[in-house]
Amino acid sequence: METALRIVESPNGRSKLQSPVARAASSAVPGADRVLTPQALAFLAELHGHFDGTRRDLLDSRIDRQRRLHDGDTLSFPKALHVREAGWTVAPAPADLRDRRVEITGPAERKMMINALNSGARGFIADFEDALTPSWANIVAGQVNLLDAVRREIAFTAPDGRAYELTEDPATLHVRPRGWHLDEPHVRVAGQPVAGALVDFGLHVFHNANELLDRGSGPYLYLPKLENRFEARLWNEVFAFAQHRLDLPKATIKATVLIETLPAAFEMDEILYELRDHAVALNAGRWDYIFSAIKCLRHRADCVLPDRSQVTMTVPFMRAYTELLVATCHRRGAHAIGGMAPLIPSRRDAAASAHALAGVQLDKEREAGDGFDGTWVAHPHLVPVATAVFDRHLAGRPNQVERRRDDVVVEPEHLLDLRSTPGSVTETGVRGNVSVGLRYIAEWLRGNGAVAIDGLMEDAATAEIARSQVWQWVHHGVAVDGLGVASASLVRRILDEELERSAADLPAGMTREHLVAARELFEKVALEEPFVDFLTLPGYGRVGDL
């Protein structure tokens, strides 16, 4: 069954339609009647009509830039000097976004959301992107969960009878919609899929913006995977349109932009400028950033990276990126939010837990010392560890935006300096990437977008690193310590071994068929030419099949 609504206003843009109809697959999806209302679908149709043409043009420009990078043109990262040289700042942050010392993120799943909102973190990011498998049931359920969380009505009873509900002072809610590159095939206008970003954003603000304002907060977004100022400008136009259409005060919608692509690192000033009425912070999305660096420079033999475990936050190109982010944010009056250490505590292994806590503390000490105003964690048990670090560094202040990093000098060559990353490619690294990629994709295909694997929290971003490194190593025929030369046949042999190893100890609810399907997808994104931009693109068609 599909729900449809016809709207009067014809959209502009590349795909002009005479009588746009928003259609959303809604049968047998719990909660669809609450979020896929005729009025909400009309709003999605308007967003699609006004902005999808520009979105598709911008996605085409990504392809063109990658082609130029492949041809050796590192000047594909331009500067807007009139923006760089002017003395502007972003608009002041609202009261509940001035202290962001620790934020926790996770999928927009009901129990997870309650635990995260109750964790003691200043903020919680309900993720519709890397940590959420985008099955239609998950997307709709996530919107229902937002609806209930905003109204403080969210509750959950586990199969064992344990009840979960919100405390009196939950974390400030943020929502991370999907990136511009992802379509939502279950919502269509004249047969065309609506952007997943517009579905996630549109349903949230339509249902919740006024309620959030009435409660003294507002609609706060995390914007993922932007690549340049024009993509930021598009979000700014979407915000302005939504505010006008929903009769919200100007600059009500606030956004933190994840700097998690290599091209975006060259345009931090410009991205903040385009969103200056709405932007409150930049975030160092470290795992996607490593993936993006590999993807953008994948054909350069001098940019081959060593094992994932050796690509730390202190290697030269990552150090340049984070230092520049803090300096840029504080010069423009924005907060700088650090990234997420993947280590998570173990319930069964005290030594592993102690190692994870120590690793997270060291990571947050570095961030706070560098001038970050806050950071991310992936597990409620890590909130006190990170909070203690920032409490000590902030010394009673809500942030350290006033700390200018005028000592930071980062040139384009520093951001591109992957060749100075120390380390080597080892059998452990290759096997680890194959194993993590296989097991994560199997979980993703069955609906789990954030998964603890071998003591680390894995999501789509870390899986992207795993498969893109394998592609890079095979493409360049790198020497692998203990194995010889990286090759497709070597990877397929390791895949065989890891599939059998995983099949011998399947998690509850997983079948061998999940692993077989995951192997097929991993081979496609880790070995095939041309390089697949995002593993989620071919993965979308497989979600819910098994």
Side-chain angles (χ1 to χ4, degrees):
M1 176 181 178
E2 290 186 331
T3 302
L5 188 83
R6 194 173 298 272
I7 63 174
V8 176
E9 182 178 3
S10 294
N12 53 28
R14 186 164 72 176
S15 300
K16 186 166 183 176
L17 307 170
Q18 294 301 314
S19 299
V21 177
R23 300 183 183 274
S26 60
S27 61
V29 179
D33 57 328
R34 296 183 62 193
V35 295
L36 301 174
T37 64
Q39 296 81 6
L41 289 172
F43 182 58
L44 295 185
E46 291 183 86
L47 291 174
H48 174 85
H50 280 83
F51 302 111
D52 194 61
T54 301
R55 177 183 76 101
R56 293 182 181 278
D57 288 342
L58 290 171
L59 293 178
D60 288 345
S61 73
R62 288 185 181 184
I63 297 171
D64 179 64
R65 183 178 54 249
Q66 182 59 53
R67 186 181 301 114
R68 287 183 281 124
L69 283 172
H70 186 207
D71 293 338
D73 175 18
T74 56
L75 297 179
S76 296
F77 304 115
K79 298 178 182 178
L81 292 179
H82 69 285
V83 171
R84 299 283 181 98
E85 295 171 356
W88 55 271
T89 59
V90 300
D96 56 348
L97 293 183
R98 292 172 191 161
D99 184 339
R100 301 179 61 180
R101 65 191 66 200
V102 178
E103 296 178 342
I104 186 170
T105 183
E109 181 270 329
R110 203 164 185 86
K111 179 184 171 183
M112 163 69 207
M113 287 179 64
I114 297 170
N115 287 338
L117 288 165
N118 291 343
S119 67
R122 297 305 199 275
F124 163 61
I125 301 97
D127 194 7
F128 284 80
E129 206 224 11
D130 281 346
L132 186 79
T133 299
S135 68
W136 187 226
N138 280 352
I139 296 298
V140 172
Q143 291 291 339
V144 171
N145 295 336
L146 291 179
L147 205 72
D148 290 342
V150 167
R151 290 156 183 79
R152 308 290 174 90
E153 296 171 355
I154 189 170
F156 177 78
T157 301
D160 62 6
R162 283 185 293 175
Y164 300 80
E165 58 184 20
L166 288 186
T167 59
E168 289 296 319
D169 187 26
T172 298
L173 177 66
H174 304 253
V175 174
R176 177 160 71 160
R178 283 167 283 182
W180 283 131
H181 61 291
L182 294 172
D183 291 334
E184 177 46 73
H186 297 88
V187 182
R188 294 178 177 272
V189 173
Q192 294 184 342
V194 176
L198 295 180
V199 172
D200 303 338
F201 164 81
L203 291 176
H204 175 52
V205 298
F206 183 85
H207 290 296
N208 300 318
N210 280 298
E211 183 73 23
L212 285 162
L213 290 171
D214 289 345
R215 292 176 177 273
S217 188
Y220 303 150
L221 284 299
Y222 259 87
L223 304 181
K225 296 183 176 56
L226 297 187
E227 295 202 1
N228 55 59
R229 62 188 180 274
F230 303 108
E231 295 181 15
R233 183 180 298 171
L234 177 58
W235 268 119
N236 193 73
E237 292 171 356
V238 169
F239 291 166
F241 176 87
Q243 288 167 172
H244 174 74
R245 177 68 175 77
L246 301 176
D247 198 25
L248 303 172
K250 290 183 178 180
T252 290
I253 299 170
K254 296 298 183 183
T256 298
V257 179
L258 290 130
I259 301 298
E260 54 185 0
T261 68
L262 183 64
F266 288 81
E267 296 193 54
M268 294 186 201
D269 272 301
E270 290 83 352
I271 287 170
L272 281 175
Y273 180 78
E274 295 292 345
L275 284 159
R276 60 193 178 278
D277 291 335
H278 302 279
V280 288
L282 299 180
N283 172 275
R286 58 177 74 172
W287 308 119
D288 267 303
Y289 188 79
I290 293 170
F291 162 59
S292 177
I294 296 170
K295 179 168 68 171
C296 287
L297 305 175
R298 61 184 180 267
H299 293 289
R300 288 179 50 174
D302 62 335
C303 290
V304 173
L305 289 175
D307 289 358
R308 168 184 157 185
S309 63
Q310 298 173 41
V311 187
T312 68
M313 297 303 295
T314 59
V315 303
F317 83 100
M318 294 298 288
R319 189 74 180 145
Y321 149 67
T322 55
E323 292 267 82
L324 180 61
L325 189 147
V326 173
T328 303
C329 283
H330 289 185
R331 185 170 63 251
R332 302 305 183 183
H335 291 194
I337 309 298
M340 185 171 67
L343 296 163
I344 55 174
S346 170
R347 295 180 179 178
R348 302 174 183 174
D349 189 332
S353 279
H355 172 73
L357 294 176
V360 169
Q361 180 171 350
L362 183 64
D363 184 63
K364 303 317 168 190
E365 291 281 3
R366 176 190 53 76
E367 288 181 330
D370 284 346
F372 280 94
D373 303 287
T375 192
W376 272 19
V377 296
H379 193 284
H381 290 172
L382 299 176
V383 171
V385 176
T387 299
V389 172
F390 276 87
D391 284 349
R392 186 168 61 256
H393 279 269
L394 294 178
R397 297 168 294 163
N399 55 66
Q400 51 184 335
V401 173
E402 79 284 349
R403 183 182 167 194
R404 298 283 292 266
R405 290 298 312 275
D406 294 333
D407 57 307
V408 172
V409 178
V410 175
E411 301 295 342
E413 58 267 26
H414 300 145
L415 295 172
L416 297 168
D417 188 19
L418 276 66
R419 67 170 64 85
S420 294
T421 304
S424 60
V425 181
T426 70
E427 178 179 1
T428 299
V430 175
R431 188 173 294 277
N433 279 352
V434 171
S435 176
V436 167
L438 177 70
R439 286 185 285 166
Y440 175 79
I441 292 173
E443 291 281 4
W444 189 88
L445 287 171
R446 74 186 188 110
N448 299 323
V451 187
I453 299 177
D454 298 337
L456 301 177
M457 183 59 75
E458 307 284 356
D459 66 7
T462 54
E464 293 282 26
I465 297 174
R467 67 92 177 188
S468 62
Q469 282 202 303
V470 169
W471 190 98
Q472 186 185 49
W473 295 338
V474 170
H475 182 82
H476 292 287
V478 302
V480 181
D481 293 352
L483 285 178
V485 174
S487 65
S489 60
L490 172 65
V491 172
R492 291 189 177 100
R493 175 171 65 80
I494 295 175
L495 268 170
D496 288 338
E497 295 167 358
E498 293 301 319
L499 190 152
E500 294 305 322
R501 191 192 312 274
S502 297
D505 186 24
L506 288 171
M510 183 180 287
T511 66
R512 185 182 181 89
E513 285 69 30
H514 288 109
L515 289 171
V516 171
R519 181 211 165 104
E520 178 185 341
L521 181 54
F522 185 86
E523 278 196 69
K524 178 177 182 64
V525 298
L527 296 177
E528 286 188 7
E529 291 270 15
F531 183 87
V532 178
D533 279 343
F534 295 95
L535 69 84
T536 47
L537 292 172
Y540 258 46
R542 301 300 308 274
V543 173
D545 284 355
L546 302 173

